[in-house]
Amino acid sequence: MDINNRAAIVTGGARRVGKAIALALAGAGARVFIHYNSSAGPAEETLDEIEAAGGTGAIGAVDLGNPELAPQLIDMATDAVGEVSILVNSASGFATDSLDDVSIEGWRRSHDLTLVSPVFLTQAFAAALGDGADGAVVNVTDVRTMTPYQEHFSYVIAKGGVDAFTRAAALALAPRIRVNAVALGVILPPPGEDAAYVEALAEQLPLQRVGGTDPVAAAALHLIRNDFITGEIIRLDGGGHLV
Ligand SMILES: NC(=O)c1ccc[n+]([C@@H]2O[C@H](COP(=O)([O-])OP(=O)(O)OC[C@H]3O[C@@H](n4cnc5c(N)ncnc54)[C@H](OP(=O)(O)O)[C@@H]3O)[C@@H](O)[C@H]2O)c1
């Protein structure tokens, strides 16, 4: 797929990982709809950066904690940037809970934001794509679905659902729409933690460094561009799965 002149949505595109993917898509010529929830200012700044570099885009807020609102995002983006052929599901929660203390409400909250909204966004995206048009979805998941965190229990299980959803949707939507994922390891400090936190984790990795967002954006663009890849989940973990 040639990204130039395509319209794309990046959920959680105002900050951090989502922002890096939004900027990379815009740099490749896409009109990017930057979705946000609470980060209105950062969303404006991300759009300013895109426009300063000669790109185009738009911003819009939807609370993806309520999956019933997810289809509205496709409509908003289509109105703003035209028929959407690229969807990046990056928005997520990162709840702290365990099997001991997770509540039904907390479990549902994690799943609604991290798994259910991406599913129904993808459903609405596929339904809106015109006859004969092709599309690409990239989900952002977590390498820890294979070696689960104990302290982010509902989150990691929701991300495990994203892994399965990636493969199921790739089959369901082929050949018109390809669905892939990037699975992240030590990329950025989680909210509330500093650089030292991830640097300590990175020391244990074969590649001995923190990933940062550039490799994530590069992998997302690769999955969008390469027309013979679907149902794939690329790990960006500095080799962490090997140790
Ligand atoms: N950072 C890492 O090292 C790492 C590692 C493994 C996996 N990941 C995955 O990579 C993705 C991006 O990571 P990140 O660290 O950039 O995430 P983050 O800083 O936790 O940001 C999450 C994004 O989700 C959005 N969001 C939160 N609640 C929302 C809601 N109710 N409705 C709509 N959007 C909502 C936020 O938007 P607002 O700011 O506008 O509220 C924010 O942009 C996530 O899927 C994460 O699980 C990241």
Side-chain angles (χ1 to χ4, degrees), residues 106-232:
W107 171 271
R108 284 188 178 140
R109 220 176 11 249
S110 279
H111 280 69
D112 279 352
L113 174 56
T114 298
L115 174 60
V116 183
S117 276
V119 169
F120 287 94
L121 271 173
T122 303
Q123 183 190 63
F125 165 77
L129 202 62
D131 284 344
D134 61 340
V137 177
V138 175
N139 296 319
V140 183
T141 182
D142 194 310
V143 286
R144 296 299 300 270
T145 60
M146 302 304 288
T147 51
Y149 299 106
Q150 296 302 297
E151 69 278 19
H152 301 288
F153 178 76
S154 61
Y155 159 85
V156 87
I157 294 176
K159 287 295 196 187
V162 171
D163 296 356
F165 167 59
T166 299
R167 291 186 277 265
L171 269 180
L173 298 176
R176 223 155 62 93
I177 299 173
R178 292 175 300 105
V179 184
N180 293 291
V182 286
L184 312 191
V186 182
I187 297 297
L188 289 177
E193 300 287 354
D194 60 10
Y197 174 87
V198 277
E199 279 157 17
L201 292 175
E203 279 172 20
Q204 296 155 34
L205 301 176
L207 296 185
Q208 294 179 7
R209 59 179 185 266
V210 176
T213 56
D214 286 353
V216 179
L221 262 59
H222 171 65
L223 290 171
I224 292 165
R225 284 186 169 124
N226 192 310
D227 285 323
F228 204 52
I229 303 180
T230 197
E232 189 58 84

Side-chain angles (χ1 to χ4, degrees), residues 15-17 37-39 63-64 90 140 142 155 159 188:
R15 304 187 294 118
R16 291 164 54 88
V17 171
N37 182 46
S38 59
S39 298
D63 178 3
L64 296 176
S90 184
V140 183
D142 194 310
Y155 159 85
K159 287 295 196 187
L188 289 177

Side-chain angles (χ1 to χ4, degrees), residues 16-128:
R16 291 164 54 88
V17 171
K19 174 178 181 172
I21 297 172
L23 292 177
L25 282 166
R31 302 182 301 281
V32 182
F33 189 85
I34 300 156
H35 157 268
Y36 67 95
N37 182 46
S38 59
S39 298
E44 292 277 7
E45 287 163 25
T46 301
L47 181 58
D48 288 348
E49 281 182 51
I50 286 173
E51 290 175 345
T56 55
I59 67 169
V62 173
D63 178 3
L64 296 176
N66 179 357
E68 292 187 19
L69 302 180
Q72 291 180 13
L73 177 53
I74 305 297
D75 294 339
M76 283 169 62
T78 304
D79 288 347
V81 293
E83 184 182 57
V84 179
S85 45
I86 298 166
L87 170 65
V88 178
N89 286 308
S90 184
S92 173
F94 193 52
T96 299
D97 54 27
S98 69
L99 181 56
D100 286 340
D101 64 19
V102 66
S103 64
I104 290 176
E105 192 197 345
W107 171 271
R108 284 188 178 140
R109 220 176 11 249
S110 279
H111 280 69
D112 279 352
L113 174 56
T114 298
L115 174 60
V116 183
S117 276
V119 169
F120 287 94
L121 271 173
T122 303
Q123 183 190 63
F125 165 77

